Coordinates of all heavy atoms in Angstrom, one line a residue:
M1 N 232.4 37.9 80.9 CA 231.9 37.2 79.8 C 232.0 35.7 80.1 O 233.0 35.2 80.5 CB 232.8 37.5 78.6 CG 232.1 37.2 77.3 SD 233.0 37.9 75.8 CE 233.4 39.6 76.4
P2 N 230.9 35.0 79.9 CA 230.9 33.5 80.3 C 231.7 32.7 79.3 O 231.8 32.9 78.1 CB 229.4 33.1 80.2 CG 228.8 34.1 79.2 CD 229.6 35.4 79.4
Q3 N 232.3 31.7 79.9 CA 233.1 30.7 79.1 C 232.0 29.6 78.7 O 231.2 29.2 79.5 CB 234.2 30.1 79.8 CG 235.2 29.4 79.0 CD 236.4 29.0 79.8 OE1 236.3 28.4 80.8 NE2 237.6 29.2 79.2
Y4 N 232.1 29.1 77.5 CA 231.1 28.1 77.0 C 231.7 27.1 76.1 O 232.8 27.3 75.5 CB 229.9 28.8 76.3 CG 230.3 29.5 75.1 CD1 230.2 28.9 73.8 CD2 230.7 30.9 75.1 CE1 230.5 29.6 72.7 CE2 231.0 31.6 74.0 CZ 230.9 30.9 72.7 OH 231.2 31.6 71.6
D5 N 231.1 25.9 76.1 CA 231.5 24.8 75.3 C 230.5 24.6 74.2 O 229.3 24.6 74.4 CB 231.7 23.5 76.1 CG 232.7 23.6 77.1 OD1 233.8 24.2 76.9 OD2 232.5 23.0 78.2
I6 N 231.1 24.3 73.0 CA 230.3 23.8 71.9 C 230.6 22.4 71.7 O 231.8 22.0 71.5 CB 230.6 24.6 70.5 CG1 230.3 26.1 70.7 CG2 229.8 24.0 69.4 CD1 230.8 26.9 69.5
I7 N 229.6 21.5 71.8 CA 229.9 20.0 71.8 C 229.2 19.5 70.6 O 228.0 19.7 70.4 CB 229.4 19.4 73.1 CG1 230.1 20.0 74.2 CG2 229.7 17.9 73.0 CD1 229.4 19.8 75.6
I8 N 229.9 18.8 69.7 CA 229.3 18.1 68.6 C 229.5 16.6 68.8 O 230.6 16.1 68.8 CB 229.9 18.5 67.2 CG1 229.9 20.0 67.0 CG2 229.3 17.7 66.1 CD1 230.7 20.5 65.8
E9 N 228.4 15.9 68.9 CA 228.4 14.4 69.0 C 228.5 13.8 67.6 O 227.5 14.0 66.8 CB 227.2 13.9 69.8 CG 227.1 14.4 71.2 CD 228.2 13.8 72.1 OE1 228.9 12.8 71.7 OE2 228.5 14.4 73.2
K10 N 229.6 13.2 67.3 CA 229.8 12.8 65.9 C 228.9 11.7 65.5 O 228.5 11.6 64.3 CB 231.3 12.3 65.7 CG 232.2 13.5 65.7 CD 233.6 13.0 65.4 CE 234.6 14.1 65.3 NZ 236.0 13.7 65.0
D11 N 228.5 10.8 66.4 CA 227.6 9.7 66.0 C 226.2 10.2 65.6 O 225.4 9.6 64.9 CB 227.5 8.6 67.1 CG 226.9 9.1 68.4 OD1 226.8 10.3 68.6 OD2 226.5 8.3 69.2
A12 N 225.8 11.4 66.1 CA 224.5 12.0 65.7 C 224.6 13.0 64.5 O 223.6 13.3 63.9 CB 224.0 12.8 66.9
C13 N 225.8 13.4 64.2 CA 226.0 14.3 63.0 C 225.8 13.5 61.7 O 226.5 12.5 61.5 CB 227.3 15.0 63.1 SG 227.7 16.2 61.8
D14 N 225.0 14.1 60.8 CA 224.8 13.5 59.5 C 225.4 14.2 58.4 O 225.2 13.9 57.2 CB 223.3 13.3 59.2 CG 222.7 12.1 59.9 OD1 223.4 11.3 60.4 OD2 221.4 12.0 59.9
G15 N 226.2 15.3 58.7 CA 226.8 16.1 57.7 C 225.9 16.9 56.9 O 226.1 17.2 55.7
I16 N 224.8 17.3 57.5 CA 223.8 18.2 56.8 C 224.3 19.6 56.7 O 224.0 20.3 55.8 CB 222.4 18.1 57.5 CG1 221.9 16.6 57.4 CG2 221.4 19.1 56.9 CD1 220.7 16.3 58.3
F17 N 225.0 20.0 57.7 CA 225.7 21.3 57.8 C 224.8 22.6 57.8 O 225.2 23.6 57.4 CB 226.7 21.5 56.6 CG 227.7 20.4 56.6 CD1 227.9 19.6 55.4 CD2 228.6 20.1 57.6 CE1 228.8 18.6 55.4 CE2 229.5 19.1 57.6 CZ 229.6 18.3 56.5
A18 N 223.7 22.4 58.5 CA 222.8 23.6 58.7 C 223.5 24.5 59.7 O 223.3 25.8 59.6 CB 221.5 23.2 59.3
C19 N 224.4 24.0 60.5 CA 225.1 24.8 61.5 C 226.1 25.8 60.8 O 226.3 26.9 61.3 CB 225.9 24.0 62.4 SG 227.0 22.8 61.6
L20 N 226.6 25.5 59.6 CA 227.6 26.3 58.9 C 227.0 27.6 58.5 O 227.7 28.6 58.5 CB 228.2 25.6 57.7 CG 229.3 24.6 57.9 CD1 229.0 23.5 58.8 CD2 229.9 24.2 56.6
T21 N 225.7 27.7 58.3 CA 225.1 28.9 57.8 C 224.8 29.8 59.0 O 224.5 31.0 58.8 CB 223.8 28.7 57.0 OG1 222.9 28.0 57.8 CG2 224.1 27.8 55.8
R22 N 224.8 29.3 60.2 CA 224.5 30.1 61.4 C 225.7 30.7 62.1 O 225.6 31.7 62.8 CB 223.7 29.3 62.4 CG 222.4 28.6 62.0 CD 221.5 29.5 61.1 NE 220.2 29.0 60.9 CZ 219.8 28.1 60.0 NH1 220.7 27.5 59.2 NH2 218.6 27.8 59.8
D23 N 226.8 30.0 62.0 CA 228.0 30.4 62.7 C 229.2 29.9 61.9 O 229.4 28.7 61.7 CB 228.1 29.7 64.1 CG 229.2 30.2 65.0 OD1 230.3 30.6 64.5 OD2 229.0 30.1 66.2
P24 N 230.0 30.9 61.4 CA 231.1 30.6 60.5 C 232.3 29.8 61.2 O 233.1 29.3 60.5 CB 231.6 31.9 60.0 CG 231.1 32.9 61.0 CD 229.9 32.3 61.6
R25 N 232.2 29.6 62.5 CA 233.2 28.8 63.1 C 233.0 27.3 62.9 O 233.9 26.5 63.0 CB 233.2 29.0 64.6 CG 233.7 30.5 65.0 CD 233.5 30.7 66.5 NE 232.1 30.8 66.8 CZ 231.7 31.1 68.1 NH1 232.6 31.3 69.0 NH2 230.4 31.1 68.3
F26 N 231.8 26.9 62.5 CA 231.5 25.6 62.1 C 232.0 25.3 60.7 O 231.7 26.1 59.8 CB 230.0 25.3 62.2 CG 229.5 25.2 63.6 CD1 229.2 26.3 64.3 CD2 229.4 23.9 64.2 CE1 228.7 26.2 65.6 CE2 228.9 23.8 65.5 CZ 228.6 25.0 66.2
V27 N 232.7 24.2 60.5 CA 233.2 23.9 59.1 C 233.0 22.4 58.9 O 232.8 21.6 59.9 CB 234.7 24.3 59.0 CG1 234.8 25.8 59.0 CG2 235.5 23.6 60.0
E28 N 233.2 22.0 57.7 CA 233.3 20.5 57.4 C 234.6 20.0 57.7 O 235.6 20.5 57.2 CB 232.9 20.3 55.9 CG 232.9 18.8 55.6 CD 232.5 18.5 54.2 OE1 232.1 19.4 53.4 OE2 232.6 17.3 53.8
G29 N 234.7 18.9 58.5 CA 235.9 18.3 58.9 C 236.4 17.3 57.9 O 235.6 17.0 56.9
E30 N 237.6 16.8 58.0 CA 238.1 15.8 57.1 C 237.3 14.5 57.0 O 237.3 13.8 56.0 CB 239.6 15.5 57.5 CG 240.5 16.6 57.3 CD 241.9 16.3 57.7 OE1 242.2 15.1 57.9 OE2 242.7 17.2 57.9
D31 N 236.5 14.2 58.1 CA 235.7 13.0 58.1 C 234.3 13.3 57.5 O 233.5 12.4 57.5 CB 235.6 12.5 59.5 CG 235.0 13.5 60.5 OD1 234.6 14.7 60.1 OD2 235.0 13.2 61.7
G32 N 234.1 14.5 56.9 CA 232.8 14.7 56.3 C 231.7 15.2 57.3 O 230.6 15.3 56.9
L33 N 232.1 15.4 58.6 CA 231.1 15.8 59.6 C 231.5 17.2 60.0 O 232.6 17.7 59.7 CB 231.2 14.8 60.8 CG 230.9 13.4 60.5 CD1 231.1 12.5 61.7 CD2 229.5 13.2 59.9
A34 N 230.6 17.8 60.8 CA 230.8 19.2 61.3 C 231.9 19.2 62.3 O 232.0 18.2 63.1 CB 229.5 19.8 61.8
T35 N 232.7 20.2 62.3 CA 233.7 20.5 63.4 C 233.7 22.0 63.6 O 233.0 22.7 63.0 CB 235.0 19.9 63.0 OG1 235.9 19.9 64.2 CG2 235.7 20.6 61.8
V36 N 234.6 22.4 64.5 CA 234.7 23.8 64.8 C 236.1 24.3 64.6 O 237.1 23.6 65.0 CB 234.3 24.1 66.3 CG1 234.5 25.6 66.6 CG2 232.9 23.7 66.6
D37 N 236.3 25.4 63.9 CA 237.6 26.0 63.6 C 237.5 27.4 63.9 O 236.9 28.2 63.2 CB 238.0 25.8 62.1 CG 239.3 26.3 61.8 OD1 240.0 26.9 62.6 OD2 239.7 26.2 60.6
P38 N 238.1 27.8 65.0 CA 238.1 29.3 65.4 C 238.7 30.2 64.4 O 238.3 31.4 64.3 CB 238.9 29.3 66.7 CG 239.0 27.9 67.2 CD 238.9 27.0 66.0
D39 N 239.6 29.7 63.6 CA 240.2 30.5 62.5 C 239.4 30.6 61.2 O 239.8 31.4 60.3 CB 241.6 30.0 62.2 CG 242.5 30.1 63.4 OD1 242.4 31.0 64.2 OD2 243.4 29.1 63.6
A40 N 238.3 29.9 61.2 CA 237.5 29.9 59.9 C 236.7 31.1 59.7 O 236.2 31.4 58.6 CB 236.6 28.7 59.9
D41 N 236.5 31.9 60.7 CA 235.6 33.1 60.6 C 236.4 34.3 60.0 O 237.4 34.8 60.7 CB 235.0 33.5 62.0 CG 234.0 34.6 61.9 OD1 234.0 35.3 60.9 OD2 233.2 34.7 62.8
P42 N 236.1 34.7 58.8 CA 236.9 35.8 58.2 C 236.6 37.2 58.9 O 237.4 38.1 58.6 CB 236.5 35.8 56.8 CG 235.1 35.2 56.8 CD 235.0 34.3 58.0
V43 N 235.5 37.3 59.6 CA 235.2 38.6 60.2 C 235.8 38.8 61.6 O 236.3 39.9 61.9 CB 233.6 38.8 60.2 CG1 233.2 40.1 60.8 CG2 233.1 38.7 58.8
Y44 N 235.6 37.8 62.4 CA 236.1 38.0 63.8 C 237.4 37.2 64.0 O 237.5 36.1 63.5 CB 235.0 37.4 64.8 CG 233.8 38.2 64.8 CD1 232.6 37.8 64.1 CD2 233.7 39.4 65.6 CE1 231.5 38.6 64.1 CE2 232.5 40.1 65.6 CZ 231.4 39.7 64.9 OH 230.3 40.4 65.0
D45 N 238.3 37.8 64.7 CA 239.5 37.1 65.1 C 239.2 36.5 66.5 O 239.2 37.2 67.5 CB 240.7 38.0 65.2 CG 241.9 37.4 65.6 OD1 242.0 36.1 65.4 OD2 242.8 38.0 66.1
C46 N 238.8 35.2 66.5 CA 238.5 34.6 67.8 C 239.4 33.5 68.2 O 240.1 32.9 67.3 CB 237.0 34.1 67.8 SG 236.7 32.8 66.6
E47 N 239.5 33.3 69.4 CA 240.4 32.2 69.9 C 239.6 31.2 70.7 O 238.6 31.6 71.4 CB 241.5 32.8 70.9 CG 242.4 33.7 70.2 CD 243.5 34.2 71.2 OE1 243.7 33.6 72.2 OE2 244.1 35.3 70.8
G48 N 239.9 30.0 70.5 CA 239.2 28.9 71.2 C 240.0 27.7 71.2 O 240.9 27.5 70.4
A49 N 239.8 26.8 72.2 CA 240.5 25.6 72.3 C 239.5 24.5 71.8 O 238.4 24.4 72.2 CB 240.8 25.3 73.8
V50 N 240.0 23.7 70.8 CA 239.2 22.6 70.2 C 239.8 21.3 70.4 O 241.0 21.1 70.1 CB 239.0 22.9 68.7 CG1 238.1 21.8 68.1 CG2 238.4 24.3 68.5
T51 N 239.0 20.3 70.9 CA 239.5 19.0 71.1 C 238.6 18.1 70.2 O 237.3 18.2 70.3 CB 239.3 18.5 72.5 OG1 240.0 19.3 73.4 CG2 239.8 17.1 72.7
D52 N 239.2 17.4 69.3 CA 238.4 16.6 68.3 C 238.8 15.1 68.5 O 240.0 14.7 68.2 CB 238.8 17.1 66.9 CG 237.9 16.5 65.8 OD1 237.3 15.4 66.1 OD2 237.8 17.1 64.8
T53 N 237.9 14.3 69.0 CA 238.2 12.9 69.2 C 237.3 12.1 68.2 O 236.5 12.6 67.5 CB 237.9 12.4 70.6 OG1 236.5 12.5 70.9 CG2 238.7 13.3 71.6
D54 N 237.3 10.7 68.3 CA 236.5 9.9 67.5 C 235.0 10.1 67.8 O 234.1 9.9 67.0 CB 236.9 8.4 67.6 CG 238.2 8.1 66.9 OD1 238.6 8.9 66.1 OD2 238.8 7.1 67.3
E55 N 234.7 10.4 69.1 CA 233.3 10.5 69.6 C 232.7 11.9 69.4 O 231.5 12.0 69.1 CB 233.2 10.1 71.0 CG 233.5 8.6 71.3 CD 235.0 8.3 71.4 OE1 235.8 9.2 71.8 OE2 235.4 7.2 71.0
R56 N 233.5 12.9 69.7 CA 233.0 14.3 69.8 C 234.0 15.3 69.5 O 235.2 15.1 69.7 CB 232.2 14.5 71.1 CG 233.1 14.6 72.3 CD 232.3 14.7 73.6 NE 231.4 13.7 73.8 CZ 231.6 12.4 74.3 NH1 232.8 12.1 74.6 NH2 230.7 11.6 74.4
V57 N 233.5 16.5 69.2 CA 234.3 17.7 69.1 C 233.8 18.6 70.3 O 232.6 18.8 70.5 CB 234.0 18.5 67.8 CG1 234.8 19.8 67.8 CG2 234.4 17.6 66.6
V58 N 234.8 19.1 71.1 CA 234.5 20.1 72.1 C 235.3 21.3 71.9 O 236.6 21.2 71.9 CB 234.8 19.5 73.5 CG1 234.5 20.5 74.6 CG2 234.0 18.2 73.8
A59 N 234.7 22.4 71.7 CA 235.3 23.7 71.5 C 234.9 24.7 72.6 O 233.8 24.8 73.0 CB 234.9 24.3 70.2
T60 N 235.9 25.3 73.3 CA 235.7 26.2 74.4 C 236.0 27.6 74.0 O 237.1 27.9 73.4 CB 236.5 25.8 75.6 OG1 236.2 24.4 75.9 CG2 236.2 26.7 76.8
F61 N 235.1 28.5 74.2 CA 235.3 29.9 73.9 C 234.9 30.8 75.1 O 234.1 30.4 76.0 CB 234.4 30.3 72.7 CG 234.7 29.7 71.4 CD1 234.1 28.5 71.0 CD2 235.7 30.2 70.6 CE1 234.5 27.9 69.8 CE2 236.0 29.6 69.4 CZ 235.4 28.5 69.0
D62 N 235.4 32.0 75.1 CA 235.1 33.0 76.2 C 234.8 34.3 75.5 O 235.2 35.4 76.0 CB 236.1 33.1 77.2 CG 237.5 33.6 76.7 OD1 237.6 33.7 75.5 OD2 238.4 33.8 77.6
D63 N 234.1 34.3 74.4 CA 233.7 35.5 73.7 C 232.2 35.8 73.8 O 231.5 35.1 74.6 CB 234.1 35.4 72.2 CG 233.5 34.2 71.5 OD1 232.4 33.7 71.9 OD2 234.2 33.6 70.6
D64 N 231.8 36.8 73.1 CA 230.4 37.2 73.2 C 229.5 36.6 72.1 O 228.5 37.1 71.7 CB 230.2 38.7 73.3 CG 230.8 39.4 72.0 OD1 231.3 38.7 71.1 OD2 230.6 40.6 71.9
R65 N 229.9 35.5 71.5 CA 229.2 34.9 70.4 C 228.4 33.6 70.7 O 228.2 32.8 69.8 CB 230.2 34.6 69.3 CG 230.9 36.0 68.9 CD 231.9 35.8 67.8 NE 231.3 35.3 66.6 CZ 232.0 34.7 65.6 NH1 233.3 34.6 65.7 NH2 231.4 34.3 64.6
I66 N 228.1 33.5 72.0 CA 227.3 32.3 72.4 C 226.0 32.2 71.6 O 225.5 31.1 71.3 CB 227.1 32.2 73.9 CG1 226.6 30.8 74.3 CG2 226.3 33.3 74.4 CD1 226.7 30.6 75.8
D67 N 225.4 33.3 71.3 CA 224.1 33.3 70.6 C 224.2 32.7 69.2 O 223.3 31.9 68.8 CB 223.4 34.7 70.5 CG 222.9 35.1 71.9 OD1 222.6 34.3 72.7 OD2 222.7 36.3 72.1
E68 N 225.3 33.0 68.5 CA 225.6 32.4 67.2 C 225.7 30.9 67.3 O 225.2 30.1 66.5 CB 226.8 33.0 66.6 CG 226.6 34.4 66.1 CD 227.9 34.9 65.5 OE1 228.4 34.3 64.6 OE2 228.4 36.0 66.0
A69 N 226.4 30.4 68.4 CA 226.6 29.0 68.6 C 225.3 28.3 68.9 O 225.0 27.2 68.4 CB 227.6 28.8 69.7
R70 N 224.5 29.0 69.7 CA 223.1 28.5 70.0 C 222.2 28.4 68.8 O 221.5 27.4 68.6 CB 222.5 29.3 71.1 CG 223.1 29.1 72.5 CD 222.4 29.9 73.5 NE 222.9 29.6 74.9 CZ 223.0 30.5 75.8 NH1 222.6 31.7 75.7 NH2 223.4 30.1 77.0
Q71 N 222.3 29.4 67.9 CA 221.6 29.3 66.7 C 222.0 28.1 65.8 O 221.2 27.5 65.2 CB 221.7 30.6 65.9 CG 221.0 31.8 66.6 CD 221.3 33.1 65.9 OE1 221.9 33.1 64.8 NE2 220.9 34.2 66.5
A72 N 223.3 27.9 65.7 CA 223.8 26.8 65.0 C 223.3 25.5 65.6 O 222.9 24.5 64.8 CB 225.4 26.8 65.0
A73 N 223.3 25.3 66.9 CA 222.8 24.1 67.6 C 221.3 23.9 67.3 O 220.9 22.8 67.0 CB 223.1 24.2 69.1
A74 N 220.6 25.0 67.3 CA 219.1 24.9 67.1 C 218.8 24.5 65.6 O 217.8 23.9 65.4 CB 218.5 26.3 67.4
A75 N 219.7 24.9 64.7 CA 219.5 24.6 63.3 C 219.8 23.1 63.0 O 219.4 22.6 61.9 CB 220.4 25.5 62.4
C76 N 220.5 22.4 63.9 CA 220.9 21.0 63.6 C 219.7 20.1 63.7 O 219.1 20.0 64.7 CB 222.0 20.6 64.6 SG 222.6 18.9 64.3
P77 N 219.3 19.5 62.5 CA 218.1 18.7 62.5 C 218.3 17.4 63.3 O 217.3 16.7 63.7 CB 217.9 18.4 61.1 CG 219.2 18.6 60.4 CD 219.9 19.6 61.2
T78 N 219.6 17.0 63.6 CA 219.8 15.7 64.3 C 220.1 16.0 65.8 O 220.5 15.0 66.5 CB 220.9 14.9 63.7 OG1 222.1 15.7 63.7 CG2 220.5 14.5 62.2
D79 N 220.1 17.2 66.2 CA 220.4 17.6 67.6 C 221.8 17.1 68.0 O 222.0 16.7 69.2 CB 219.4 17.1 68.6 CG 218.0 17.7 68.4 OD1 218.0 18.9 68.0 OD2 217.0 17.0 68.6
A80 N 222.8 17.2 67.1 CA 224.1 16.7 67.4 C 224.9 17.8 68.1 O 226.0 17.4 68.6 CB 224.8 16.3 66.1
I81 N 224.5 19.0 68.2 CA 225.2 20.1 68.8 C 224.6 20.6 70.1 O 223.4 20.8 70.1 CB 225.3 21.3 67.8 CG1 225.9 20.8 66.5 CG2 226.2 22.4 68.4 CD1 225.8 21.8 65.4
V82 N 225.4 20.7 71.1 CA 225.0 21.3 72.4 C 225.9 22.4 72.7 O 227.1 22.3 72.6 CB 225.0 20.2 73.5 CG1 224.7 20.8 74.8 CG2 224.1 19.0 73.2
V83 N 225.3 23.5 73.3 CA 226.1 24.6 73.7 C 225.9 24.7 75.2 O 224.7 24.8 75.7 CB 225.7 25.9 73.0 CG1 226.5 27.1 73.6 CG2 225.9 25.8 71.5
R84 N 226.9 24.7 76.0 CA 226.8 24.7 77.5 C 227.7 25.8 78.1 O 228.9 25.9 77.7 CB 227.3 23.4 78.1 CG 226.3 22.3 77.8 CD 226.6 21.1 78.7 NE 225.8 20.0 78.3 CZ 226.2 18.8 78.0 NH1 227.4 18.5 78.1 NH2 225.3 17.8 77.7
V85 N 227.1 26.6 78.9 CA 227.9 27.6 79.7 C 228.7 26.8 80.8 O 228.1 25.9 81.4 CB 227.0 28.7 80.3 CG1 227.8 29.6 81.2 CG2 226.3 29.4 79.2
R86 N 229.9 27.1 80.9 CA 230.8 26.5 81.9 C 230.3 26.8 83.3 O 229.8 27.9 83.6 CB 232.2 26.9 81.8 CG 232.9 26.4 80.5 CD 233.8 25.3 80.9 NE 234.4 24.6 79.8 CZ 235.7 24.3 79.8 NH1 236.4 24.6 80.8 NH2 236.1 23.6 78.8
E87 N 230.3 25.8 84.2 CA 229.9 25.9 85.6 C 230.6 27.1 86.2 O 231.8 27.3 86.0 CB 230.2 24.7 86.4 CG 229.0 24.1 87.0 CD 229.3 22.8 87.8 OE1 229.7 22.9 88.9 OE2 229.1 21.8 87.1
G88 N 229.9 27.9 86.9 CA 230.4 29.1 87.6 C 230.4 30.3 86.7 O 230.7 31.4 87.2
D89 N 230.1 30.2 85.4 CA 230.1 31.3 84.5 C 228.7 31.7 84.1 O 228.5 32.5 83.2 CB 230.9 31.0 83.2 CG 232.4 31.0 83.4 OD1 232.9 31.7 84.3 OD2 233.1 30.3 82.7
E90 N 227.7 31.2 84.7 CA 226.3 31.4 84.3 C 225.9 32.8 84.7 O 226.3 33.5 85.5 CB 225.4 30.4 84.9 CG 225.8 29.0 84.4 CD 225.2 27.9 85.1 OE1 224.4 28.1 86.0 OE2 225.4 26.7 84.7

């Protein structure tokens, strides 16, 4: 299973939250922008590492839910979300 990163660029995020309806791991952060919380999904017990800085959120997963993450990224009208497969995992 490939390891992948979900990256949210905070300066591009407008808090529209179209991503939240595509992938329940996306939630509203304390700053009013989208972030990722692996524990927010009530259906799947998933583990992920999340780094949240002033510039971006980077969440790393190694599950089979990359398509949900890609759908969330595609739904973002400001293109603030990128999903990247980790090098060597393609």
Side-chain angles (χ1 to χ4, degrees):
M1 201 166 318
Q3 195 173 48
Y4 61 95
D5 293 325
I6 300 171
I7 303 158
I8 304 171
E9 296 293 342
K10 289 186 176 183
D11 63 342
C13 181
D14 281 346
I16 297 168
F17 303 121
C19 54
L20 275 64
T21 63
R22 304 317 193 277
D23 187 332
R25 295 174 291 183
F26 286 83
V27 296
E28 182 177 353
E30 291 180 14
D31 56 5
L33 302 176
T35 191
V36 178
D37 180 357
D39 297 326
D41 188 341
V43 177
Y44 293 98
D45 182 22
C46 61
E47 294 182 20
V50 180
T51 304
D52 192 338
T53 67
D54 289 340
E55 293 83 30
R56 70 187 51 85
V57 175
V58 179
T60 304
F61 293 94
D62 62 355
D63 56 30
D64 61 354
R65 299 179 64 198
I66 192 169
D67 287 338
E68 289 177 57
R70 287 179 172 151
Q71 289 173 11
C76 180
T78 61
D79 295 325
I81 304 166
V82 175
V83 179
R84 289 193 185 127
V85 175
R86 290 258 173 136
E87 234 177 89
D89 285 335
E90 296 168 2

